[in-house]
Amino acid sequence: MADTPQPTDHPATGRPVYVIGGGPGGLSVAYALRAQGLRAVVLERSDRIGASWRRHYDRLHLHTTRRLSALPGLPMPRRFGRWVSRDDVVRYLEKYAEHHDLEIVTGVEVSRVEPSPDGSGWLLRATGGRELTGAAVVVATGHNHTPHIPDWPGRDSYTGEFLHAGEYRNPTPYADRDVLVVGIGNTGAEIAVDLVEGGASRVRLAVRTVPHIVRRSTAGWAAQFTSILVRRLPVGLVDRLARPVAKLSVPDLSAQGLPRPDTGLYSRVKQGSIPVLDVGLVDAVRKGRVEIVAAVDGFEEGKVVLADGARVSPDAVIAATGYVRGLENLVGHLGVLDAHGRPVVQGARTPAGAPGLYFTGFTNPISGNLREMAIDAQKIAKSIARSGDGPVSRLP
C-alpha cells in the first residue's frame, strides 16, 4: 500500500482511474479495476483507510451478516462472527488493501473534479495545489460524510452539553446522567440502548417520525435475507407482506409512544428511510428504560423545547440526526447531483454529460450497503474497461 504524498500520472502507459475515498466502496472498486487489468489509484483524505469506520461508536456491529458483507476478492474471516464489530471491519479493510496490493495515497483531499482541458478525461484539484489527470473518476467518499445538525431555533445560544452522534464513542462519560438522544434511526436507537446498558440515569429518545422496527434476526433468519428476496418486488406488495410479519415479530409499543407506522415499510424505504434493526430497543422501551418523547423543536433559556410544548433539561443532548453527502463543492458544478445533493445516477451508469464519472456508496439499501457496494464495484470496473474512457493506464 503506497503512502507517498505525490500521486502522479503513470508515464507512457496512460492515465489511471482515480478513486476518491478509501472506505469499503473505494477499496472494492480499486480491486475490481485491478482485476480488469486497469491501474487504479485511491486518494484518501485522512492518514489511514476506513476513516469513517474508525470514528463510529465502540459497540457498533454490522446489521448485515458477515458472509454478505465481504468485499469482492476476499471473504471476511469466520472468527469475526455473524455480526461483525466495528474494529473487525477496520481490520478487514486494512487486510483487504494489503492482500490486493492496492495503490493508495493517504493525506490527499480532492476539492474539485473538472473535465480535463483536452476533453479526454478528468482533472482533479487536490491538497497542496496538486492537479491530477485521470482517464475516469470514481467518487466513493461515503454516505456518512458530513454530520448534519438541523437548524433548530436557539441552538447557537444553548450552553448545555451537545454533540452529534458522530462524536459519541461509548456510555462511560454519561453514567448516572440524564441524556436526550434526538433521532430514532439505527444510530439513535443503538446509542440509546448503549446508554441504558452503560448506566445512564435517564435516557429519552426524541422521535419525529415513528419508524418501522424489524428484528435483526428471527430464529436464525437474518432480516437481510428477506430484504434481498423482496427488493425487486412491487412496493405495494412488500408493504402488504410486511404488515403481518411486523405484528407477529414486534410488539405494539403504542402505550410507550411508538405506535405502528401508518405508511408501508417498503414505501418508507423508497423515500430514503430504512427500518430500525432491533438490537435491544424494543425491550428497553417496553421496560421504560428508554422513554419516547416528542421531536425537538428548538432550544430556549437553557432548555430543550419539544414539539408537544414540553421543555426538558437533560445533562447532555446527542443528535443522531444523520449526515449529508458533502458533494456540492466536489462535483456540484457538473450538474450531476439532485436537489438533495445526491448523485443522479450511481453504479455502472454515468451522468448525462459526464462520461467517465462514477459514484458508489451513496444509498442505504435494505439489502445491505456493503453488499451493494461490492456488486457495484464490479459493474463499474467492467463499464470502465468496456468504455475505454480516455487513455486508461493498464497494469503490466
Side-chain angles (χ1 to χ4, degrees):
M1 183 172 72
D3 60 0
T4 172
Q6 292 292 340
T8 60
D9 291 348
H10 196 278
T13 57
R15 298 169 177 171
V17 177
Y18 281 112
V19 181
I20 306 174
L27 298 181
S28 57
V29 168
Y31 160 73
L33 287 165
R34 283 183 63 89
Q36 292 288 329
L38 305 179
R39 181 179 176 228
V41 179
V42 178
L43 304 175
E44 167 56 45
R45 66 175 178 169
S46 72
D47 60 351
R48 294 181 293 178
I49 62 172
S52 64
W53 280 94
R54 298 175 192 274
R55 293 192 299 267
H56 286 311
Y57 47 92
D58 294 350
R59 73 169 280 156
L60 177 68
H61 284 69
L62 294 180
H63 291 163
T64 53
T65 65
R66 169 181 52 81
R67 291 182 62 189
L68 294 178
S69 300
L71 304 181
L74 186 68
M76 285 188 173
R78 290 178 61 87
R79 68 178 182 275
F80 285 0
R82 194 182 198 197
W83 312 108
V84 182
S85 71
R86 176 205 64 185
D87 289 346
D88 281 338
V89 171
V90 172
R91 292 187 185 97
Y92 173 73
L93 295 179
E94 292 174 338
K95 181 63 178 178
Y96 190 86
E98 178 187 359
H99 179 79
H100 293 304
D101 193 24
L102 301 181
E103 189 174 352
I104 301 170
V105 186
T106 58
V108 174
E109 182 173 7
V110 179
S111 58
R112 190 174 177 89
V113 176
E114 302 172 350
S116 61
D118 64 7
S120 64
W122 293 93
L123 173 67
L124 288 71
R125 301 188 185 277
T127 49
R130 298 177 180 88
E131 293 186 352
L132 314 171
T133 52
V137 173
V138 183
V139 181
T141 49
H143 190 268
N144 295 341
H145 185 271
T146 304
H148 167 67
I149 296 177
D151 187 20
W152 286 307
R155 163 69 189 90
D156 291 342
S157 60
Y158 181 67
T159 57
E161 183 176 347
F162 181 97
L163 66 154
H164 187 271
E167 301 173 81
Y168 176 86
R169 293 295 172 267
N170 59 64
T172 301
Y174 306 99
D176 300 318
R177 299 178 70 194
D178 179 344
V179 185
L180 173 67
V181 180
V182 185
I184 194 173
N186 278 291
T187 297
E190 193 157 350
I191 287 176
V193 173
D194 198 33
L195 289 165
V196 165
E197 295 178 353
S201 62
R202 184 177 189 180
V203 178
R204 286 173 282 197
L205 185 56
V207 177
R208 184 171 300 278
T209 303
V210 178
H212 285 274
I213 301 176
V214 176
R215 298 288 189 187
R216 185 173 65 176
S217 179
T218 304
W221 179 265
Q224 184 186 15
F225 299 161
T226 302
S227 299
I228 293 170
L229 291 174
V230 305
R231 193 177 179 205
R232 305 298 180 186
L233 295 179
V235 173
L237 174 60
V238 178
D239 284 347
R240 290 193 295 273
L241 293 172
R243 290 190 193 105
V245 173
K247 290 181 179 179
L248 288 172
S249 60
V250 178
D252 185 1
L253 300 173
S254 298
Q256 290 79 25
L258 281 181
R260 298 190 190 278
D262 55 8
T263 54
L265 184 151
Y266 206 26
S267 294
R268 286 274 191 89
V269 170
K270 290 297 186 181
Q271 295 168 2
S273 177
I274 65 171
V276 169
L277 277 295
D278 180 41
V279 289
L281 179 68
V282 169
D283 188 56
V285 170
R286 289 180 70 184
K287 293 179 179 178
R289 301 178 72 192
V290 170
E291 305 170 43
I292 303 301
V293 298
V296 170
D297 265 5
F299 296 79
E300 187 176 290
E301 297 179 351
K303 296 185 177 182
V304 184
V305 182
L306 304 182
D308 60 2
R311 283 167 165 73
V312 297
S313 301
D315 297 320
V317 177
I318 301 175
T321 46
Y323 296 79
V324 294
R325 311 294 82 81
L327 294 172
E328 287 79 5
N329 291 336
L330 184 68
V331 296
H333 55 287
L334 300 173
V336 298
L337 304 178
D338 65 17
H340 301 287
R342 298 173 297 208
V344 292
V345 295
Q346 299 193 60
R349 298 171 59 199
T350 59
L357 181 63
Y358 299 83
F359 296 87
T360 185
F362 294 97
T363 61
N364 199 6
I366 58 173
S367 50
N369 200 306
L370 292 176
R371 176 181 181 270
E372 296 303 323
M373 284 192 290
I375 294 171
D376 276 352
Q378 298 185 73
K379 292 180 178 178
I380 290 170
K382 290 177 181 178
S383 176
I384 293 174
R386 286 194 306 264
S387 65
D389 291 311
V392 183
S393 176
R394 293 190 173 271
L395 298 171

